[in-house]
Amino acid sequence: MNFEELRSFLDEKADQYNTLDFVEDDPIQIPHRFSLKQDIEIAGFLAATISWGNRKSIINSANKMLDIMGNSPYDFVLNYSEKDLESIQDKSIHRTFNGQDFSYFIKQFNRIYKENESLEDLFKVKDSEINFLYAIERFRSSFLETEKHRSHKHISSPYKNSSAKRIIMFLRWMVRKDKRGVDFGIWKNIDQKYLSIPLDVHTGNISRKLGLVSRTQNDWKTVEELDVAIRKFDEKDPAKYDYALFGLGVTKELL
């Protein structure tokens, strides 16, 4: 395919998969249960954080966290008791994300929401920046603080060349604005042009098959290589192609 054919093909596939049907089987269904901005952010961030492995299993584990929080995440992180946290400590949540990690995240949310109206405040992109590389690191510093904790491994660092797939996916949910009803677009002060594709097995393999990237690893350098390619197709809304690449990967249409 030449450039125009590839763009047309990816536009068509993004259009095909960026529908409300996508929500049914995806972890994005978790924050879709809420209307309050802070509930959406917390539920979304937790669901994104555990988004590795089988999607059904991810959704079940996210439901477990919501149940623990009485299905009112914002109220819970502001008003939990020490007894609440103690009861979480030994729980199994999702693979290596355990009760200790969950309670640590709750404490960090409590501190951050006492100082900020929204998580958006911690992800601002500066004018001189071209993507979320530095914003993610600034967020990590704010969220994790300096004290070493086992939970730090659950928030990836692009500085360490991680693709930061789960944070990038969360950012797409919060920042990307369209009228399809899948992404929320509730963060009004961050431009979606800075978004990247969440790089996983599906999006990585399809990107290579289509010649969008040449690197074999799914790391931050590949995220940036893919940025260059997809922004040529649509510099104002590059992350819409996540739907095309992920959808093509899951359905194995190109195999």
Side-chain angles (χ1 to χ4, degrees), residues 36-217:
L36 183 71
K37 183 179 187 179
Q38 291 85 355
D39 280 338
I40 292 168
E41 290 177 348
I42 295 166
F45 191 80
L46 290 170
T49 297
I50 61 165
S51 283
W52 76 96
N54 176 283
R55 286 199 287 172
K56 196 170 184 178
S57 167
I58 293 163
I59 290 163
N60 288 339
S61 299
N63 278 329
K64 193 187 297 183
M65 289 193 281
L66 288 181
D67 286 344
I68 289 168
M69 295 188 288
N71 289 293
S72 299
Y74 185 51
D75 181 64
F76 186 87
V77 302
L78 289 185
N79 299 302
Y80 67 84
S81 67
E82 285 307 314
K83 194 174 176 184
D84 290 329
L85 291 194
E86 281 169 24
S87 69
I88 295 170
Q89 289 286 330
D90 297 325
K91 286 189 185 295
S92 166
I93 303 292
H94 184 79
R95 297 195 171 188
T96 61
F97 188 89
N98 64 19
Q100 289 177 49
D101 301 313
F102 186 27
S103 60
Y104 178 82
F105 273 43
I106 288 165
K107 283 193 260 190
Q108 301 310 95
F109 278 132
N110 175 278
R111 176 180 53 80
I112 282 165
Y113 278 111
K114 282 178 176 173
E115 298 166 2
N116 303 274
E117 185 260 335
S118 165
L119 291 186
E120 180 179 12
D121 301 336
L122 279 63
F123 279 104
K124 296 280 175 63
V125 180
K126 295 180 180 174
D127 289 341
S128 59
E129 296 165 2
I130 59 169
N131 57 31
F132 278 94
L133 169 66
Y134 302 108
I136 290 171
E137 290 298 334
R138 288 191 290 270
F139 167 77
R140 286 188 90 250
S141 298
S142 301
F143 189 79
L144 300 173
E145 299 179 291
T146 51
E147 179 194 343
K148 262 292 182 203
H149 191 275
R150 58 160 279 126
S151 305
H152 286 208
K153 67 183 178 184
H154 291 297
I155 299 185
S156 303
S157 168
Y159 279 12
K160 295 176 184 170
N161 202 27
S162 165
S163 70
K165 170 234 163 179
R166 289 166 287 174
I167 298 180
I168 293 289
M169 183 175 71
F170 170 72
L171 289 169
R172 193 203 83 209
W173 295 354
M174 298 299 112
V175 173
R176 189 171 172 272
K177 301 162 185 68
D178 67 4
K179 300 203 167 41
R180 298 302 189 89
V182 184
D183 295 317
F184 292 90
I186 54 176
W187 289 0
K188 306 301 183 187
N189 300 312
I190 300 176
D191 197 311
Q192 64 188 19
K193 71 180 182 181
Y194 296 113
L195 290 170
S196 300
I197 300 280
L199 197 61
D200 62 8
V201 173
H202 297 298
T203 53
N205 287 346
I206 296 299
S207 297
R208 290 179 192 98
K209 202 168 186 74
L210 294 172
L212 297 171
V213 296
S214 57
R215 290 175 53 78
T216 54
Q217 305 94 324

Side-chain angles (χ1 to χ4, degrees), residues 11-28:
D11 280 342
E12 178 192 326
K13 290 299 167 187
D15 186 58
Q16 178 182 334
Y17 293 114
N18 183 14
T19 67
L20 281 174
D21 290 343
F22 184 88
V23 175
E24 285 176 31
D25 300 316
D26 193 80
I28 199 172

